[in-house]
Amino acid sequence: MAQPSNGHTHDPRDAYVDWIIKTQQLRFFDNYRKPGDPQAVGLLIRLRDTVLIAERARILASHGVGQVPLAYTGSVGAAPTRRTWALSVPALQLSSFVDAIAPFVDRIELAAPIAQPLTNPRSIQFTGQAIAETLAVVMDDGCAFANARFMDAGKTRVMWLWNQDPLALGLALDSISGPTPRADFGYGAQWPQSELDRIIGLQPGQQDAIYELAGLQGLRRHAAHGPHMMDLLLGDQDWPMVFVQFPQEAVDDPSGLWLKRFAFDGLHYAIECAGPQTKIVVNLSWGPQTGPHDGLSLFELAIDELVAEQRAKNRELIVTLPAGNSFESRAHAMFGYREGRTLQWVVPPDGRTPAFLEVWWPPSVAPADAALSIVPPGAAAEVILPGERSGTDWYVNLKRYGNSTMALLVINPTQNEDPEKSGRAGRWTLTFAGRPQATTEQVHLYVARADHNMGAKRRAKASHLIDDGWEAARFLAPHRRHEEAPGSAISKGGTLNGIATGAETHVAAGFRHSDLGVAPYSSSGPTRGARPGPDFACVTDMSPALPGIRATAVRSGTNVRLVGTSTAAPQLGQILAAKTVTKVPDPPTIPSPPVRIGGGRLKPDPKLFPPR
């Protein structure tokens, strides 16, 4: 196992932290580096049970980390009430900080290559929580708080809006202006309901002008993802809402890797907004394709712990996530460690973002037994042993992290401002030698997504995996599209959302309304952990010819049809919070594997289907 420079035998860093330290690629999108960009790195850390408080505080202060939000610590100088924290570390201090904090933490994960700078919005003496029976929380992009769908008697139903963008307008997130003193996250800005109503009153009926006053530039568009999720989460309920607006850096990331810092803080913020007896239903319609898929990533562990913590306080916390849309993306492969395998990772040209691939070996396999041979396009083989290797355009790190051995392979953007650092497009050949006497467990590969999020300014091109078995079966008839390719390691199974494998999350797959068939894109279990697949399936398409679900757009009286399991997650949240779980009988002629639809198809809200 690798050792940090201070000689401590425990190395808690994930491979992405090592990558940032090694390459100094402080912006995830190197092509978009701008003068004056903040040089800070966001981390998630998981503290050990026993922490020397004074020493921990000294390390944080000496590395310019600043005050840790009270939502994590409970009070200044006290023992932590929650073991997982989000921190912003100055880039120049990152390597020494990681070494210094290593003795006090179990895990360190890269959460955002760019941490948001502190802003200086105005403050008011105001604290307040939702006292309703249920609080609906959406963490997304685009809070249409002035849309009539989200208003009641001329007042918005949005109790709190936290805009995490560094240039956001609003009130400070400090110990006096938030819903509670513990919501002192220190970046972005927030609006309480009273301030939102004041803004609405300044420009009555002029929604574009209202959103301009609130600093929500993304709502200039006809459609945004956030209002659609708000509509589906509410259904017919009259619940008040909290909205966490993700910053542009997070929305622009097509891989989904770096949103977890902002989602992590947002989840804690949502809890602070709820009253002592309030049920909290949180929808996060986002997820990466990468990760250990065993429920043990820091974000998943934090969700599990927060749900258990609230349950101990007799308060219910429901967190819903989509299954994912990668069933047919050729982004996952698995094969027996004993047999080994050769396959290829196809990286397209003109990509404006790095390409990421993760390999996860069975927990019983040590790094020394996980050698990997990589042949870049047009180059000789590189045998990767435990530790780091890098070239001018690629990086690989094979190490022990969590309870498994993993490897991270990063290819620079294939369209780079510096041609000498451009990644090589083409087929990267990966060979895993067989071990006839070894474990029969599986090796898993996960390729990072490269989807273009709504409102994103940056573009990426998806990479994918191929092998001889997949090539031989690529022209399957449409009615066989859900089947695996015979003899191929490329697997449609095991594609579940990389942050949806924890024990306490609620995960929604998608199915069609017309014939009850599973949505062809809806990701599937099994996982590398205890979770077999999604919990339930909700309607995400009207028919094969009419994909998507219609719900509210940005302005009052408008709507839009969006496609994907992100529309299933808020439906599941509304059903679970309202306790109206009703299953649709399984069709006798359509395959319904539990790893794809979990406990079954749920009856949809009739209002999703207007009369013909």
Side-chain angles (χ1 to χ4, degrees):
M1 185 180 296
Q3 294 186 6
S5 59
N6 66 357
H8 185 65
T9 56
H10 172 64
D11 181 6
R13 301 171 294 190
D14 78 345
Y16 290 93
V17 173
D18 292 333
W19 168 60
I20 287 289
I21 293 174
K22 176 76 172 182
T23 66
Q24 292 296 297
Q25 189 164 337
L26 299 176
R27 284 187 63 87
F28 172 60
F29 303 99
D30 192 57
N31 285 319
Y32 294 86
R33 187 184 301 273
K34 301 184 294 293
D37 275 344
Q39 298 297 293
V41 177
L43 301 177
L44 293 186
I45 67 171
R46 183 171 174 80
L47 299 167
R48 293 187 172 185
D49 289 329
T50 303
V51 179
L52 299 177
I53 299 172
E55 181 66 9
R56 182 192 68 220
R58 183 193 66 78
I59 292 171
L60 295 176
S62 65
H63 289 82
V65 174
Q67 178 63 43
V68 178
L70 296 177
Y72 306 145
T73 62
S75 61
V76 178
T81 58
R82 293 166 181 163
R83 291 180 58 193
T84 305
W85 292 3
L87 300 174
S88 297
V89 181
L92 295 178
Q93 304 273 3
L94 178 61
S95 181
S96 60
F97 173 80
V98 168
D99 287 349
I101 204 72
F104 308 107
V105 299
D106 287 329
R107 309 266 287 277
I108 305 174
E109 292 184 5
L110 184 67
I114 289 296
Q116 302 302 308
L118 298 181
T119 59
N120 188 29
R122 61 193 180 90
S123 296
I124 61 172
Q125 187 72 34
F126 184 96
T127 59
Q129 297 169 296
I131 59 174
E133 180 180 345
T134 301
L135 178 65
V137 181
V138 174
M139 298 194 290
D140 214 294
D141 176 37
C143 179
F145 64 88
N147 187 314
R149 175 70 178 90
F150 311 121
M151 298 185 68
D152 185 16
K155 305 292 186 181
T156 183
R157 291 164 64 185
V158 177
M159 296 286 298
W160 284 94
L161 164 60
W162 176 18
N163 188 345
Q164 296 179 327
D165 193 274
L167 302 178
L169 302 177
L171 309 178
L173 276 90
D174 54 27
S175 60
I176 62 172
S177 299
T180 72
R182 290 162 55 96
D184 58 337
F185 296 94
Y187 66 93
Q190 61 187 340
W191 296 106
Q193 184 182 40
S194 59
E195 288 287 289
L196 294 177
D197 285 335
R198 182 184 65 82
I199 294 172
I200 292 172
L202 294 175
Q203 296 283 348
Q206 302 297 315
Q207 292 179 45
D208 288 353
I210 289 169
Y211 298 140
E212 191 78 21
L213 289 173
L216 299 176
Q217 308 299 327
L219 292 179
R220 293 173 178 173
R221 308 188 306 271
H222 162 66
H225 203 259
H228 205 272
M229 300 304 109
M230 295 166 71
D231 192 4
L232 294 175
L233 179 60
L234 286 176
D236 287 333
Q237 306 298 327
D238 59 356
W239 302 327
M241 288 178 285
V242 167
F243 196 101
V244 176
Q245 166 69 49
F246 291 133
Q248 192 64 48
E249 287 286 346
V251 175
D252 282 353
D253 168 24
S255 73
L257 292 169
W258 313 129
L259 201 61
K260 59 187 176 184
R261 160 67 191 277
F262 307 110
F264 178 84
D265 283 345
L267 187 58
H268 287 79
Y269 182 82
I271 292 172
E272 295 304 313
C273 289
Q277 305 300 319
T278 299
K279 179 192 302 180
I280 312 165
V281 54
V282 180
N283 183 74
L284 177 58
S285 285
W286 154 80
Q289 293 170 180
T290 46
H293 287 76
D294 59 2
L296 298 180
S297 71
L298 289 192
F299 185 66
E300 291 175 304
L301 289 173
I303 292 176
D304 289 350
E305 291 176 350
L306 287 173
V307 172
E309 173 191 279
Q310 299 306 306
R311 185 182 297 129
K313 297 179 178 180
N314 294 317
R315 185 164 67 168
E316 188 175 6
L317 171 62
I318 300 169
V319 180
T320 57
L321 293 163
N325 304 323
S326 60
F327 187 70
E328 297 180 321
S329 297
R330 292 171 286 167
H332 172 242
M334 61 180 182
F335 55 86
Y337 173 69
R338 177 180 292 183
E339 291 78 25
R341 187 64 62 117
T342 295
L343 41 74
Q344 294 177 319
W345 180 26
V346 181
V347 179
D350 299 325
R352 302 298 300 271
T353 60
F356 298 92
L357 181 145
E358 296 177 9
V359 183
W360 291 86
W361 280 268
S364 61
V365 175
D369 297 321
L372 166 62
S373 173
I374 301 175
V375 182
E382 296 278 355
V383 178
I384 307 303
L385 300 175
E388 297 177 278
R389 296 282 186 90
S390 61
T392 58
D393 64 335
W394 61 276
Y395 170 90
V396 67
N397 188 2
L398 195 162
K399 65 182 302 182
R400 190 78 175 179
Y401 183 69
N403 70 342
S404 297
T405 295
M406 65 89 66
L408 169 67
L409 179 57
V410 185
I411 311 299
N412 285 3
T414 51
Q415 182 182 344
N416 201 306
E417 289 182 349
D418 184 350
E420 294 184 358
K421 295 182 180 180
S422 290
R424 277 168 280 186
R427 299 188 176 195
W428 292 69
T429 302
L430 313 178
T431 299
F432 301 82
R435 308 284 179 127
Q437 305 304 317
T439 177
T440 60
E441 295 177 285
Q442 302 286 305
V443 178
H444 290 260
L445 283 72
Y446 302 100
V447 176
R449 53 177 275 201
D451 297 344
H452 301 161
N453 296 318
M454 288 187 67
K457 298 178 181 178
R458 296 164 181 165
R459 296 295 179 253
K461 288 195 172 182
S463 58
H464 61 270
L465 300 167
I466 61 172
D467 62 8
D468 292 342
W470 185 88
E471 291 279 14
R474 62 185 302 183
F475 299 111
L476 286 174
H479 71 278
R480 297 182 59 195
R481 66 189 306 175
H482 64 279
E483 298 177 8
E484 301 284 9
S488 175
I490 316 304
S491 174
K492 295 178 173 67
T495 51
L496 202 67
N497 180 346
I499 58 166
T501 64
E504 296 287 1
T505 47
H506 300 275
V507 184
F511 75 95
R512 291 189 298 264
H513 181 251
S514 61
D515 62 0
L516 304 185
V518 182
Y521 47 79
S522 185
S523 297
S524 171
T527 68
R528 294 181 65 247
R531 172 181 280 274
D535 293 284
F536 295 101
C538 296
V539 169
T540 56
D541 298 310
M542 295 301 295
S543 72
L546 185 59
I549 288 294
R550 189 177 294 279
T552 297
V554 171
R555 293 164 188 83
S556 300
T558 64
N559 53 54
V560 66
R561 189 179 299 278
L562 298 185
V563 179
T565 58
S566 63
T567 66
Q571 293 180 66
L572 178 60
Q574 194 267 132
I575 290 170
L576 294 177
K579 300 187 182 301
T580 56
V581 178
T582 304
K583 295 183 183 179
V584 176
D586 289 339
T589 59
I590 298 179
S592 302
V595 293
R596 295 204 65 192
I597 65 167
R601 301 164 179 80
L602 298 185
K603 183 178 179 180
D605 184 345
K607 290 195 174 182
L608 293 176
F609 315 102
R612 298 181 181 180

